[in-house]
């Protein structure tokens, strides 16, 4: 085992000298998690913080009472304009979001509130939805006054009433919005953490003519392969741990009560579950990366293979962000899909809702695939074709 440790330390020393790969493995996860938290926090606050929106109206004198009610809304700034034609022009030019036109055909006809807006503009649709709620509330007040004068009780006018009784949130769960993205980052950096080192591990040594020197040394080829595997495993695991540590440190500070209403309270059992899923996942990726590097004849060929494999890894990783919104989140077949199963269990751990059976199947399948990847990597080192450069 000592020769393998020497190879392992040699690989880490070369990684330390390669500042590009070293810094990307450490600061890459930090930057991505920071960017994720900043973006999500900004979006959440932009929706929750009330902002004054301009509302352009035509013929406001037809509904003085309703206009007074609109002016009472702190988030609305009422602006009178001359005609519908000018209002449509303002919407087309991006100078107005919604134009209200008050229409009344006769004294006995109801007042019609026509909202003119751009259907493709999300903020315009949100503003119209808010106006719909205001109109509904205004009509409810007027109807209530009429029913009160008619002597109809509240029980008679509302025979059935919906009462919401949601389950209390678990204190140990992280923000649900973050729980959908963090597993994706962990899985991605389990693969991309060792991505930069993979081509340097074997393929680059073929081009530099240093692999022959290493193979004729008084060390078994299996120990050489195992030492290189350990270095890739370490870098992959480091990327995962940096992602989690960055989220634990920066999450509550940047997200606050917006993204973490109950705090980011990961307990030791949950952290142990995350580590139990991450370790075989990193081992699987490390074995796969080493096998690809050993199979490749040169660095360029290795990078081509790695790019292709990265797409295969990305597809289930991306799907893991959306599976929580479907009925497949608890399906047993998910536990047998590589990468997707690990991301799903990580998401469950962050939410404090781990399915023990699925977790055991996930860990077992990842361990099996890791063993297969390591086996093929070892086989590549035992073949003389590993010295082939072209």
């Amino acid at each position: 085992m000592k020769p393998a440790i020497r190879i392992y330390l040699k690989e880490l020393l070369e990684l330390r000298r390669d500042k590009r790969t070293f810094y990307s493995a450490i600061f890459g996860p930090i930057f991505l998690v920071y960017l994720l938290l900043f973006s999500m926090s900004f979006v959440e606050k932009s929706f929750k913080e009330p902002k004054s929106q301009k509302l352009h109206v035509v013929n406001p004198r037809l509904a003085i009472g309703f206009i007074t009610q609109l002016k009472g809304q702190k988030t609305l700034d009422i602006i009178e304009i001359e005609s519908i034609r000018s209002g449509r022009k303002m919407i087309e030019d991006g100078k107005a979001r919604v134009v209200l036109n008050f229409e009344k055909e006769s004294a006995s006809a109801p007042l019609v509130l026509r909202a003119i807006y751009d259907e493709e503009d999300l903020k315009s649709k949100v503003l119209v939805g808010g106006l719909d709620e205001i109109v509904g509330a205004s009509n409810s007040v007027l109807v209530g006054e009429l029913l009160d004068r008619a002597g109809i009780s509240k029980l008679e006018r509302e025979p059935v009433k919906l009462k919401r009784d949601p389950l209390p949130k678990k204190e140990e769960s992280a923000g649900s919005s973050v729980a959908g993205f963090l597993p994706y980052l962990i899985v991605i950096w389990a693969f991309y953490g060792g991505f930069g080192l993979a081509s340097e591990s074997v393929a680059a040594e073929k081009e530099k003519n240093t692999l022959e020197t290493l193979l004729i040394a008084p060390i078994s080829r299996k120990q050489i392969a195992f030492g290189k595997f350990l270095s890739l495993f370490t870098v992959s695991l480091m990327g995962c741990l940096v992602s989690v540590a960055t989220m634990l440190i920066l999450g509550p500070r940047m997200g606050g009560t917006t993204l973490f209403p109950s705090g980011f309270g990961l307990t030791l059992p949950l952290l142990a579950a995350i580590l139990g899923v991450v370790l075989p996942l990193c081992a699987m990726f490390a074995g796969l990366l080493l096998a690809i590097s050993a199979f490749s004849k040169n660095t360029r060929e290795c990078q081509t293979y790695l790019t292709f494999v990265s797409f295969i890894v990305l597809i289930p990783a991306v799907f893991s962000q959306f599976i929580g919104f479907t009925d497949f989140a608890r399906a047993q077949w998910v536990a047998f899909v590589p990468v997707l199963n690990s991301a799903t269990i990580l998401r469950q751990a962050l939410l404090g809702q781990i399915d023990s059976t699925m977790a055991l199947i996930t860990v077992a399948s990842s361990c099996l695939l890791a063993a297969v990847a390591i086996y093929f990597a070892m086989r590549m080192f035992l073949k003389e074709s590993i010295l082939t450069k072209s």
Side-chain angles (χ1 to χ4, degrees):
M1 185 62 68
K2 287 184 178 180
I5 298 299
R6 293 195 190 99
I7 298 295
Y8 167 67
L9 295 176
K10 179 188 78 72
E11 294 289 321
L12 291 185
L13 181 60
E14 291 181 358
L15 171 65
R16 181 66 182 86
R17 292 171 180 168
D18 185 2
K19 297 185 182 299
R20 178 180 59 84
T21 304
F22 179 74
Y23 288 137
S24 65
I26 294 180
F27 295 107
I30 296 176
F31 174 75
L32 280 183
V33 172
Y34 175 83
L35 185 63
L36 168 68
L37 289 173
F38 177 80
S39 302
M40 295 183 68
S41 178
F42 176 79
V43 171
E44 293 260 358
K45 289 180 180 179
S46 64
F47 274 99
K48 290 187 176 182
E49 290 180 356
K51 292 183 178 179
S52 178
Q53 300 188 68
K54 294 180 179 180
L55 182 62
H56 298 76
V57 297
V58 183
N59 301 322
R61 289 173 295 280
L62 293 177
I64 297 177
F66 185 72
I67 290 295
T68 303
Q69 186 177 355
L70 288 179
K71 289 181 177 179
Q73 303 289 326
K74 296 180 179 180
T75 58
L76 293 178
D77 184 12
I78 309 300
I79 301 175
E80 184 177 354
I81 58 176
E82 296 179 358
S83 63
I84 297 177
R85 183 177 180 180
S86 61
R88 291 182 182 275
K89 184 68 168 61
M90 292 176 69
I91 292 176
E92 292 175 356
D93 295 340
K95 297 178 180 179
R97 295 195 181 279
V98 178
V99 174
L100 293 183
N101 182 37
F102 296 94
E103 302 174 354
K104 195 172 180 64
E105 296 180 358
S106 63
S108 59
L111 179 67
V112 176
L113 178 60
R114 187 182 304 278
I116 305 168
Y117 66 101
D118 185 359
E119 179 68 19
E120 297 181 357
D121 187 0
L122 178 60
K123 290 186 176 180
S124 298
K125 294 173 69 174
V126 171
L127 180 55
V128 172
L131 290 172
D132 192 26
E133 292 181 2
I134 295 173
V135 172
S138 178
N139 289 335
S140 297
V141 172
L142 293 175
V143 171
E145 292 176 354
L146 292 174
L147 294 176
D148 288 338
R149 286 197 293 268
I152 300 176
S153 65
K154 292 184 178 181
L155 179 61
E156 292 174 315
R157 71 183 72 165
E158 293 184 9
V160 179
K161 191 172 183 179
L162 176 65
K163 182 179 180 181
R164 300 175 183 268
D165 188 14
L167 294 176
K169 293 183 179 180
K170 296 185 178 182
E171 294 182 358
E172 67 272 15
S173 63
S176 58
S177 55
V178 177
F181 285 96
L182 185 55
Y184 170 74
L185 294 179
I186 293 175
V187 169
I188 287 302
W189 279 105
F191 179 79
Y192 281 100
F195 189 91
L197 181 62
S199 59
E200 300 291 329
S201 182
V202 182
E205 290 206 39
K206 293 181 182 181
E207 293 183 338
K208 298 174 183 176
N209 296 320
T210 58
L211 185 61
E212 293 92 334
T213 305
L214 184 62
L215 292 179
I216 62 175
I219 306 174
S220 69
R221 293 192 176 187
K222 287 186 177 181
Q223 297 217 10
I224 295 174
F226 189 66
K228 289 181 175 292
F229 161 77
L230 285 179
S231 64
L232 286 169
F233 173 78
T234 300
V235 177
S236 297
L237 181 61
M238 182 174 61
C240 294
L241 296 180
V242 169
S243 298
V244 176
T246 305
M247 184 66 75
L248 288 172
I249 295 171
L250 297 181
R253 291 172 174 79
M254 294 185 62
T257 57
T258 305
L259 299 179
F260 303 92
S262 302
F264 204 119
L266 286 179
T267 61
L268 287 178
L270 291 180
L271 286 174
I274 292 175
L275 194 61
V277 173
V278 165
L279 287 176
L281 181 69
C282 291
M284 179 181 71
F285 285 150
L288 178 63
L289 293 172
L290 182 61
I292 292 174
S293 185
F295 177 78
S296 304
K297 296 180 177 63
N298 49 59
T299 305
R300 179 175 296 180
E301 183 179 335
C302 179
Q303 291 175 346
T304 302
Y305 292 146
L306 290 176
T307 303
F308 174 75
V309 173
S310 67
F311 284 110
I312 300 177
V313 174
L314 276 174
I315 291 173
V318 171
F319 184 66
S320 68
Q321 296 185 75
F322 310 104
I323 196 171
F325 302 102
T326 68
D327 295 331
F328 300 124
R330 295 283 179 175
Q332 289 296 325
W333 62 265
V334 174
F336 296 94
V337 180
V339 182
L340 177 61
N341 52 11
S342 299
T344 302
I345 296 300
L346 290 173
R347 184 177 186 277
Q348 291 179 4
L350 291 172
L351 295 174
Q353 304 169 355
I354 294 182
D355 185 332
S356 57
T357 302
M358 183 179 291
L360 289 175
I361 296 175
T362 298
V363 173
S365 61
S366 296
C367 288
L368 177 62
L369 290 174
V372 172
I374 296 170
Y375 170 77
F376 278 105
M378 296 282 188
R379 285 285 303 272
M380 291 300 303
F381 270 83
L382 294 176
K383 294 181 179 179
E384 293 303 319
S385 58
I386 194 174
L387 296 173
T388 305
K389 305 176 188 176
S390 57

